[in-house]
Structure formats: C-alpha cells, structure tokens
C-alpha cells in the first residue's frame, strides 16, 4: 500500500535500477538503498500511534487523508462525515481538557473532588520550600514538574534534603512549576481510557543489573539491558534505551555507586524505578480500578487519556492498598499497548476509531465520480443540480471549476486530483460530485478511494490524445489502454454503490461484470439488447419511451417527463444530450433521490436557477400577497 508518495517513488525508481543492474550485470549497493529507505521511512511515515488508528479505520473501510505531508494530522472520512486525529488526540479532545491535564496540581484538585484517590502534595517554589513540603507530607516523597510529560524530571522515593534539592533543580527546568507529593508504595501503571472505557493497561518495572565483579555499571547496562532487541531509539521499539541520566545517578548514589563503579559479583543494582512500561496487564485490572480511571478521564474532560496510577496489585481495588492516580495525560503514546515488551497487543486503534464512528457510520458522504470521453461535464453538473434540489449542500469539482452549493468558488479547471481533494477535505460538503478524465486518471489518479456512484458516459479512443502517457493512437493496444483506464471508475464503486453505464457503448457496457455494487444501464434506444437483457434479469435501467424519460426496474416502470420539457435537450434532441440527461438521472436514481426531484432537475437543467437570496425574496413577497385582505389585493 502507498502510504507516502515520495518514498514509494524512490522505491520504484531504485527497484527499476536494481533490475537494470541485474540485466546488465552491474554492481548495485542494495544495503545502501535499503538504509536510505529506512531513514526516510523513520522521518516521513506516520508514527505508530497514528498508524494504528489509521489502520483500524482502513479495516472498517473508512478512508484516510494525511493533511500534513510529514506530520501526524490525519483526516478520517470525507467531507461532512470526517473526523480528525493527531497522534492519539482527536477533534473530540477538548483544548481546555488538554490544558487541565498539563497542570498536574489542578488535575489532582479536580479528580480528588469526586473521590478519586490522589497522593497528598502541593506545588513549591524553591528547594527549601520543597523540603518543607516533604517534611510536612512525610518521607519518602516524589518531586516532579507540574506540567511535564514522558516521565522527564520525575524523581520518586526521595528521602533526604540533598536528594530533594537535586530533584527540584532538575524538575524546575522541565516545566513551569514543581510538585512535591507523597510517594505511593507500589508499581507504576498506565491505563488507557477511550470514550469512558478502559481499553488497555500496562505495568512498569524496575530496571536492575547484576554485578559480575568485572564490568562497570555502564557496561552492565549495555550488556544486560540495552542489548534487548526490543529497546531502541525509534518509535518502532516498544522499550527505550536506558541512559544514566540525573535520576539514575541519584539512584546509584543511594547505593554508593557511580557509572564507572564495578559492582561485586551477584550484587543487584537498581538503575531506574519508573517510565519503563513493558508488561501488558489489561486482563488483570480490577473493575473498580478501571472505573476510577475512567472517572478521572471524564472529570478532566478527555476522550482519550493515559491515566498513570501507582499501586502494589492492579488486580485489587486502589482503596484497600493505598494506591492512587498520579497523572491524567492527553495524547498518550499507544506504542506500549500496540507492541508491549511482554504480553498481548491490544486493539487500541480500533477502540479509538469505534469511539469516533458509530457502527453504522462509514465516514463517507454520497460521492459521485463521473468520467468518459464526452459529456462528463454536463452529467456532473446535472447530478450536482439534483443533489442541490434534494436540499443537500453539494460540492462539484469539474472542468468549469469548483462549485459549493450555488457558489462558483473557483473558475479554473478543477476536473483533477487537486480539485476533487479540495471537496473531500471541506467539512461543509454533504455530497460531492467529481469529474475525472482519462488524462487525470493516468497522470494523477482519482482523489478518492471509493465512491457511491461511478458514471461512465462513453469511450471514444480516437477522440483522445494520450501520447504523453506512451499510449500510441494505433492498434488494439490503444483501445485496451483506454478500457483499462476508464474501468478504474468502476473498480472503486463501493459494494453498496452503483455503476451507471452506457449500454449503447460496447466498451462501457462490458464494465458491468467488474462492478462490486449494482449496475444501472442507460440507453436512448429502449430496445437496446444490453439494456433489454439487464431489465429481463430484474435489474434497473433508464431509457426513453414515447419521447418520455422513464425509469425501469425489471418489468416495472416509473415515468418522469417528456423530452420536450427538458431545456438542456432542446428542440434538436441531440442523442448525445439525451444520453447525458439519462446518465445524470440514473445517477440521481442510484442516490435514492425522489421522483419529484428528478423531474424538477430535468425541467430546470439548462436554465439558470435564481440565487438563494432571490428565491427567499420571492417567497416572502408571495407570502405577503397571500396574507393581504382580498380588497387590498384588488
């Protein structure tokens, strides 16, 4: 799957170069190319949290659009049905809630007010104040930034004034303030809450080494800890490399050691106490503890929260063991749950997608793709007119530009990838119609992954010049390439969607067997054999009978209006214009539009509709005229 265009292009180019090198028996630096691609992937690809959510959306056939080329801002769904995510935050994540979660003191105050257990503590403004708070609370204590994250600047189980002073000096640089709290006995856990429900839990563990009487502490860390293949510097590694930072130095000092000390054989040395989440423990969490974590997330106001708590046994309620919630985090990393060091991965991406989209929601709006050699512009405009008449805010991207409802917002040609994409990222659009030509399909691709209705008007290879794509205008290959190009519009029709095909064009009619959804044929000639066979099978078609446009479903018939009442067709009754009208009506029928809407569309297409303000003014005048007494009206 192509997740990143530039990397895919590099991979294709290098793949071609590799094949040519093999053919010509020339050397090729495979390792260097692979290394380059890996570095680009690390820099360009979605992070693991975002990728997990996007993957879960893909499993539900919800489309995704990356809104930042190198970032993790992603749109799930199209137009008015879209939702947005940024790593593990969504458009449901309140800015106020996120701000509250950064202020650990405020978070504690809010959640404790509803009975959530939190450690006793307060904010301090100096090292001396920190020690005063520690003495008031009772040792050991924890010192941490009021608004830090990822465990930076957090020191636990401090027991001396010197330790508290050192911790304060570091913590104050990591945030805008410093908290001193009672140290909670036990192990740190991270509980992931999504939509008010616990979906995953992970347990931290102490990092220790065992002396051999020969190696230094630093050497033992490298051989006994960092040698674990699960540890690394990229987001793909579930565990981080262990470094001797300030917190680790304090732990070593407590034990009378430094990084260069050589512990005796068999001596166990503690290196790190927290932020080493490696063990999945989701199935062990006591229901009461899960409810407390969900309550904390709800009080802060987060739809997705990483709730940090410390307790001795996660399978028991917090109250009985003196456990407490120490932090509620917005935008938590999902990696520890997707790829735990030990234990079962959890479908956290799926939980987030299910919280954004109900079971019956697909993240899609009615989307009509229109292609063909001739007539596609007229058909696209007619379908947009029908959707407008059905009271939907419709977006149209066609060769005449971009239209939003009745507003012509771009006059330059928009029958291309960029024009279509502009509609798909517009939250106001309730239904979209996008025109595509063979040149766009070959050179840019369709802007959407699937569509509700795909319309192919006709295929006339001799009327199109595709030489820029190495399609030569001679021989059977030319026709084959055209057919392969236009079939794309049918290939992307959703299983519950429709393909609207020209029964009188042999190249188009043959696409019926490729459609995952239902096929509606249209033909000016009611006796067309392809249409007749289709109707005989109980399927749907649109044609002309007695100079009247009719909808047929098997042997049933719905009559619309006469051709003479269609301004677009006119007195000349050009077969091409009739075919365009039938294609547009068939698309409207596929979309479930009413008979009245279809008739109104036929009778008004080709005429300029008054703008909404004029229509409103006319209706007000009509209402005022009716409300006047008869004598006054005379």
């Amino acid at each position: 799957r192509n997740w990143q265009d530039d990397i895919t292009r590099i991979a294709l180019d290098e793949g071609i170069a590799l094949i040519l090198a093999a053919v010509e028996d020339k050397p090729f630096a495979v390792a260097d190319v692979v290394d380059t691609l890996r570095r680009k992937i690390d820099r360009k690809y979605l992070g693991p949290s975002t990728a997990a959510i996007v993957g879960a959306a893909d499993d539900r056939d919800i489309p995704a659009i990356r809104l930042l080329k190198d970032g993790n801002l992603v749109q799930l769904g199209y137009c008015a049905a879209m939702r947005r995510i940024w790593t593990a935050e969504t458009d449901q994540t309140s800015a106020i809630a996120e701000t509250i979660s950064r202020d650990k003191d405020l978070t504690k105050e809010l959640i404790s007010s509803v009975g959530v257990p939190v450690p006793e503590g307060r904010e301090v403004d100096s090292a001396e104040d920190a020690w005063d708070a520690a003495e008031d609370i009772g040792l050991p204590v924890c010192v941490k930034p009021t608004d830090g994250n990822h465990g930076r600047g957090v020191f636990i189980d401090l027991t001396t004034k010197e330790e508290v002073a050192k911790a304060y000096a570091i913590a104050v640089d990591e945030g805008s303030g410093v908290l001193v709290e009672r140290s909670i006995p036990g192990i740190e856990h991270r509980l992931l809450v999504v939509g008010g429900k616990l979906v995953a839990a992970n347990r931290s563990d102490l990092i220790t080494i065992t002396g051999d009487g020969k190696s230094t502490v630093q050497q033992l860390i490298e051989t006994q800890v960092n040698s674990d293949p699960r540890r690394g510097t990229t987001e793909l590694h579930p565990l981080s490399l262990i470094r001797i930072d300030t917190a680790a130095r304090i732990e070593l000092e407590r034990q009378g050691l430094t990084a260069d000390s050589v512990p005796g054989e068999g001596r166990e040395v503690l290196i790190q106490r927290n932020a080493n989440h490696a063990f999945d423990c989701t199935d062990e969490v006591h229901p009461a503890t899960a409810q407390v974590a969900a309550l904390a997330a709800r009080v802060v106001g987060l739809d997705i929260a990483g709730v940090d708590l410390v307790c001795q046994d996660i399978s028991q309620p917090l109250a009985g063991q003196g456990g407490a919630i120490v932090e509620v985090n917005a935008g938590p990393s999902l990696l520890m749950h997707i790829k735990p060091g030990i234990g079962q991965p959890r479908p956290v991406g799926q939980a987030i997608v299910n919280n954004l989209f109900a079971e019956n929601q697909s993240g899609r709006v009615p989307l009509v793709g229109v292609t063909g050699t001739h007539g596609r512009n007229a058909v696209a405009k007619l379908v947009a007119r029908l959707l407008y008449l059905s009271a939907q805010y419709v977006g149209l991207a066609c060769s005449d530009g971009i239209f939003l409802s009745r507003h012509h917002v771009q006059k330059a040609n928009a029958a291309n990838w960029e024009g279509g994409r502009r509609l798909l990222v517009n939250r106001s659009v309730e239904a979209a119609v996008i025109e595509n030509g063979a040149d766009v399909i070959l050179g840019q691709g369709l802007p959407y992954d699937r569509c509700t209705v795909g319309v192919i008007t006709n295929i006339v290879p001799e009327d199109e010049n595709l030489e820029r794509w190495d399609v030569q205008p001679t021989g059977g290959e030319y026709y084959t390439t055209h057919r392969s190009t236009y079939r794309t519009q049918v290939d992307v029709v959703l299983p519950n969607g429709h393909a609207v095909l020209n029964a009188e064009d042999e190249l188009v009619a043959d696409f019926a067997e490729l459609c995952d959804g239902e096929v509606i044929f249209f033909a000016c000639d009611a006796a067309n054999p392809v249409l007749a066979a289709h109707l005989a099978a109980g399927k749907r078609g649109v044609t002309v009978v007695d100079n009247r446009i009719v909808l047929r479903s098997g042997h049933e018939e719905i009559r619309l209006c006469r051709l003479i009442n269609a301004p677009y067709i006119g007195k000349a009754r050009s077969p091409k214009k009739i075919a365009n009208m039938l294609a547009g009506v068939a698309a409207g029928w596929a979309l479930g539009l009413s008979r009245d809407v279809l008739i109104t569309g036929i009778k008004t297409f080709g005429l300029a509709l008054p703008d909404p303000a004029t229509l409103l003014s006319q209706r007000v005048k009509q209402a005022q005229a009716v409300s006047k007494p008869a004598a006054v009206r005379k």
Side-chain angles (χ1 to χ4, degrees), residues 343-367:
Q344 178 182 345
R346 299 293 168 171
V348 292
Q350 180 182 356
I352 292 172
V353 171
N354 291 344
N355 190 54
L356 290 172
F357 298 92
E359 187 176 352
N360 62 344
Q361 293 178 326
S362 64
R364 299 180 184 274
V365 299
L367 196 163

Side-chain angles (χ1 to χ4, degrees), residues 396-457:
L396 168 64
C398 64
S399 53
D400 290 334
I402 292 179
F403 296 80
L404 296 177
S405 187
R406 300 298 300 161
H407 304 289
H408 196 176
V409 299
Q410 175 184 312
K411 292 184 169 36
N413 180 13
N416 47 45
W417 187 92
E418 183 180 354
R421 184 53 59 95
R422 281 191 62 185
L423 295 187
L424 300 181
V425 299
N426 188 324
R427 221 171 197 150
S428 300
V429 173
E430 297 173 331
V433 182
I434 300 174
E435 176 189 342
N436 312 285
D439 195 64
V440 169
I441 294 174
L442 285 171
Q444 302 175 25
L446 297 174
Y448 44 86
D449 67 326
R450 305 299 292 265
C451 64
T452 315
V453 179
V455 182
I456 303 182
T457 56

Side-chain angles (χ1 to χ4, degrees), residues 182-197:
R182 174 175 57 88
S183 279
I184 306 297
I187 302 171
E188 185 178 272
H189 296 75
R190 164 60 65 85
L191 275 58
L192 181 67
V193 175
V194 177
K197 297 178 181 178

Side-chain angles (χ1 to χ4, degrees), residues 39-357:
R39 281 188 282 106
K40 287 186 176 294
I41 287 171
D42 286 344
R43 190 169 66 253
K44 298 278 189 178
Y45 265 41
L46 294 173
S49 296
T50 310
I53 301 170
V54 171
D58 186 58
D59 290 341
R60 282 188 51 178
D61 203 22
I62 296 171
I65 297 175
R66 191 171 186 177
L67 299 176
L68 289 177
K69 186 177 181 181
D70 298 336
N72 287 294
L73 177 61
V74 177
Q75 172 183 314
L76 302 180
Y78 292 150
C79 305
M82 76 166 73
R83 306 305 301 269
R84 293 194 184 114
I85 63 169
W86 197 326
T87 57
E89 294 187 28
T90 77
D91 51 16
Q92 288 183 339
T93 304
S94 161
I96 293 176
E98 185 177 9
T99 302
I100 291 172
S101 71
R102 290 201 199 104
D103 188 329
K104 302 187 190 315
D105 204 26
L106 176 58
T107 298
K108 282 175 52 183
E109 182 180 343
L110 290 176
I111 65 176
S112 64
S113 68
V114 296
V116 173
V118 299
E120 179 188 356
R122 66 176 175 86
E123 189 170 352
V124 297
D125 56 17
S126 68
E128 284 296 328
D129 191 24
W131 178 244
D132 289 343
E135 290 187 308
D136 290 340
I137 295 167
L139 301 170
V141 294
C142 168
V143 174
K144 62 185 179 182
T146 57
D147 52 359
N149 52 42
H150 300 294
R152 289 191 290 266
V154 177
F155 300 87
I156 62 176
D157 287 345
L158 305 180
T159 58
T160 69
K161 184 176 183 178
E162 182 182 8
E163 288 177 349
V164 170
K166 287 182 179 179
Y168 177 87
I170 297 168
V172 76
D173 290 334
E174 290 289 346
S176 60
V178 178
L179 281 177
V180 176
E181 296 177 341
R182 174 175 57 88
S183 279
I184 306 297
I187 302 171
E188 185 178 272
H189 296 75
R190 164 60 65 85
L191 275 58
L192 181 67
V193 175
V194 177
K197 297 178 181 178
L198 175 71
V199 298
N202 204 283
R203 185 180 74 249
S204 179
D205 199 11
L206 303 177
I207 297 293
T208 61
I209 55 174
T210 303
D212 60 6
K214 302 175 183 177
S215 306
T216 66
V217 168
Q218 182 65 67
Q219 291 170 337
L220 291 170
I221 290 174
E222 296 303 323
T223 57
Q224 297 182 8
V225 181
N226 288 340
S227 59
D228 187 335
R230 295 170 300 177
R231 295 189 180 278
T233 58
T234 73
E235 291 182 316
L236 299 178
H237 294 91
L239 300 176
S240 300
L241 294 175
I242 299 301
R243 305 296 184 195
I244 299 183
D245 55 12
T246 306
R249 280 195 291 272
I250 291 177
E251 290 292 353
L252 290 173
E253 288 173 6
R254 287 176 175 174
Q255 302 164 82
L257 300 170
T258 67
D260 297 324
S261 299
V262 178
E265 185 174 358
R267 180 181 177 183
E268 187 174 77
V269 178
L270 176 63
I271 303 297
Q272 184 173 300
R273 293 174 181 265
N274 64 339
N276 182 50
H277 296 94
F279 307 95
D280 175 76
C281 60
T282 307
D283 297 332
E284 302 172 27
V285 180
H286 192 278
T289 301
Q291 289 177 2
V292 169
L295 175 60
R298 188 161 62 250
V299 170
V300 173
L302 292 171
D303 59 320
I304 302 172
V307 180
D308 291 338
L309 63 84
V310 178
C311 66
Q312 294 176 334
D313 186 354
I314 196 68
S315 66
Q316 299 298 319
L318 294 180
Q321 56 181 315
I325 288 179
V326 295
E327 289 185 21
V328 180
N329 302 282
S333 171
L334 304 181
L335 183 59
M336 67 180 72
H337 308 297
I338 300 165
K339 199 175 180 180
I342 296 174
Q344 178 182 345
R346 299 293 168 171
V348 292
Q350 180 182 356
I352 292 172
V353 171
N354 291 344
N355 190 54
L356 290 172
F357 298 92

Side-chain angles (χ1 to χ4, degrees), residues 26-39:
K26 293 182 178 180
F28 187 86
V30 175
D32 291 345
V33 171
V34 171
D35 183 61
T36 298
L37 285 172
R38 280 178 175 161
R39 281 188 282 106

